[in-house]
Amino acid sequence: MGTTGTQLAAGAGLNLSLPQQLTVIVLCALTAFISHMALAVFNDGVRPFMLDFIHGRTTRSATTAVSFGLSAGFIFGLGAPMALSSGVLNPWLLFLPTDILGLLSPKKWLAPLLGAGWGAVVVFGLNGANEVAHDLPVDFLTAMQQMSTPILFLFTLFPVLAITKQFGRAWGAVAGVVELVLVVATMKLWPDMFAGALAMAVGVLMLIGLAVRRDLAQRKADRAAEAARGTTAADQDSAQPAEDDPMASLFSASATRLRRHLPLFMLLGAGVCLLAQMHIFGGGEATSFLIAKGHISEAAQVDFYRVFGFIPLIATTALASGAYGIAGFTLVYPIGYLMPNPVLAVVVGAAVFAIEVLALSYIGKVLGKLPSVRDSSEHLRNAITDSLHLAILFGSLMAANAMGAGLGILIVGGLYLLNEAMGRPVVRMAAAPAAVIVGGILLNVLYWLDLFTPVKG
């Protein structure tokens, strides 16, 4: 049933209603304007460079070049292929280009026009590309639907990888067994539910529980050591406040800058939450396919778990640079999926962003006192990347086999290996889907030259 759902979504293309089209275009205009103002960018790698730009130590063109260099591979190698294969929009396709266009724009009024133009390209151009691709002798978009199964199931393992890296093999083995049991039980007892949803929930809770336990144990040991030296934790805090919170002054200035533009951030939160509520947008690779299949609550779960891996990164980079994330802590994704109507999505999305921006300084202070939790977020992000890298590579080879059998695997796998040998001009995560599209085009050319017969079925 799930596979059919994905095929139907992809086969139908991106046939958006007028309100959906307008939402995408207006949101792209807004995100480009906010990027131009250096208030927020989507690319986490670009955010640290924003501090120099905000303070005038680097130029707009130089910052744009950094943004383009860090984003282009994800836009064309991951964002576009994922949207075409799942029939669901994603943040790499929408928000990375508006990062670039907003920074590129020399005038404030031009930025939203450029962003709206990109939104129109996505809304109208992508659907045309989808229809053309499905009419080709070698339909590589339908073949790319093969990516859904490995992405969904291998993504389930990211908590196991994170636990293993942070807490060792024994805890990793326990987490792995627990997740396997839960996946099998879910498939048997609740066949209509995404099999990895419960396993991921338990895995993330195990990781957080282990991290909090380690932090509490460390604080207890520190208090005991201080008592043995005849000092108290309170004395230590009052004597050396700067050592406990060395980034306080920097964080305070950045938080104040973001709070000054709170109404604009609330508008942004409302827009992103509304887009998620329409179920034409997925915040991640696995989420896109879950939404395509109609598994909305499971999609909300998946994106909710991802939040734990990104809150420390987004909070610290925002406080250090003065630029927030276009999707905030990404909480508006799962909340938006579950909203019953657009009006409520707008109200709640605005409220969520207001709370996030106002709480940034407090979150930074809390994270400073929980080093193991901070480390957990780093391990979570790395585990998500590792699991998705394998899943996307494996899924891309399955797509290659579906569209061209051995020759398809040779071309797609060869392009991927060539990218590795050349030092990864295309980022690793995007290299395999990009290779599928290039391979699909090449197989069509070979067909027209009467050198290749498409795989049947």
Side-chain angles (χ1 to χ4, degrees):
M1 181 179 71
T3 303
T4 303
T6 303
Q7 290 173 344
L8 288 174
L14 296 164
N15 294 316
L16 307 182
S17 66
L18 181 60
Q20 292 170 340
Q21 293 173 346
L22 291 174
T23 299
V24 172
I25 292 171
V26 171
L27 184 58
C28 285
L30 177 62
T31 53
F33 178 73
I34 289 175
S35 172
H36 174 85
M37 299 281 288
L39 290 172
V41 289
F42 181 77
N43 194 322
D44 295 321
V46 174
R47 201 170 301 116
F49 293 92
M50 298 301 289
L51 183 63
D52 285 341
F53 175 64
I54 291 168
H55 290 286
R57 293 192 291 266
T58 188
T59 64
R60 182 172 292 278
S61 59
T63 309
T64 303
V66 170
S67 180
F68 181 83
L70 293 175
S71 302
F74 287 103
I75 296 168
F76 301 109
L78 187 62
M82 287 296 296
L84 288 168
S85 59
S86 67
V88 175
L89 299 174
N90 59 69
W92 305 286
L93 183 64
L94 294 183
F95 303 145
L96 289 180
T98 58
D99 279 1
I100 299 167
L101 293 171
L103 290 170
L104 175 67
S105 174
K107 301 292 184 181
K108 187 181 295 187
W109 60 266
L110 183 59
L113 294 181
L114 292 175
W118 176 254
V121 168
V122 170
V123 166
F124 301 111
L126 207 61
N127 193 48
N130 186 293
E131 292 174 356
V132 169
H134 282 302
D135 290 335
L136 292 173
V138 179
D139 184 356
F140 53 86
L141 292 187
T142 297
M144 287 183 75
Q145 294 166 10
Q146 298 286 333
M147 295 170 62
S148 65
T149 299
I151 286 176
L152 290 174
F153 280 87
L154 288 176
F155 184 75
T156 301
L157 292 174
F158 78 86
V160 177
L161 301 183
I163 289 171
T164 303
K165 289 179 179 180
Q166 186 172 8
F167 297 102
R169 299 175 184 175
W171 276 114
V174 171
V177 171
V178 169
E179 283 212 3
L180 178 61
V181 169
L182 290 173
V183 167
V184 173
T186 302
M187 294 176 74
K188 183 70 175 177
L189 301 175
W190 306 286
D192 292 332
M193 177 176 153
F194 169 53
L198 184 59
M200 275 188 286
V202 172
V204 171
L205 288 174
M206 282 183 65
L207 176 65
I208 294 172
L210 289 168
V212 170
R213 188 184 73 162
R214 176 178 286 182
D215 281 335
L216 292 177
Q218 184 61 48
R219 291 179 69 178
K220 184 178 180 180
D222 291 343
R223 283 196 297 268
E226 289 162 3
R229 293 196 304 267
T231 62
T232 65
D235 294 334
Q236 186 76 7
D237 289 342
S238 60
Q240 295 177 317
E243 285 186 13
D244 287 349
D245 196 5
M247 296 181 288
S249 58
L250 175 63
F251 281 12
S252 177
S254 296
T256 301
R257 177 179 188 265
L258 295 176
R259 285 198 296 269
R260 282 202 304 267
H261 297 89
L262 187 62
L264 196 57
F265 281 115
M266 292 175 69
L267 185 61
L268 176 62
V272 176
C273 197
L274 174 61
L275 185 67
Q277 191 275 335
M278 291 177 167
H279 300 160
I280 59 170
F281 173 90
E285 300 87 345
T287 316
S288 294
F289 286 111
L290 285 169
I291 289 176
K293 294 180 177 187
H295 296 319
I296 305 303
S297 61
E298 287 90 341
Q301 283 182 268
V302 168
D303 273 354
F304 178 72
Y305 305 145
R306 288 174 68 113
V307 169
F308 294 104
F310 288 90
I311 283 181
L313 172 69
I314 294 168
T316 53
T317 55
L319 289 168
S321 69
Y324 198 40
I326 286 293
F329 294 145
T330 70
L331 268 171
V332 286
Y333 293 164
I335 290 172
Y337 303 149
L338 300 175
M339 288 293 102
N341 61 70
V343 175
L344 190 59
V346 167
V347 173
V348 173
V352 168
F353 255 52
I355 293 169
E356 289 181 7
V357 172
L358 292 173
L360 266 177
S361 292
Y362 175 75
I363 292 171
K365 292 176 182 177
V366 170
L367 290 173
K369 299 176 182 178
L370 296 173
S372 293
V373 173
R374 284 203 316 274
D375 291 345
S376 292
S377 74
E378 181 73 24
H379 288 298
L380 269 179
R381 289 198 310 278
N382 292 337
I384 287 172
T385 299
D386 290 345
S387 59
L388 285 175
H389 169 240
L390 177 60
I392 290 172
L393 175 59
F394 187 65
S396 296
L397 291 175
M398 290 173 63
N401 182 66
M403 68 185 184
L407 181 59
I409 292 175
L410 173 66
I411 293 172
V412 172
L415 287 171
Y416 178 86
L417 292 173
L418 180 63
N419 184 69
E420 290 285 306
M422 293 171 62
R424 298 178 192 150
V426 179
V427 290
R428 176 178 273 180
M429 188 77 78
V436 174
I437 291 181
V438 174
I441 294 171
L442 183 56
L443 288 174
N444 277 291
V445 171
L446 292 176
Y447 168 80
W448 289 323
L449 294 174
D450 200 25
L451 297 174
F452 170 72
T453 302
V455 176
K456 300 298 181 184

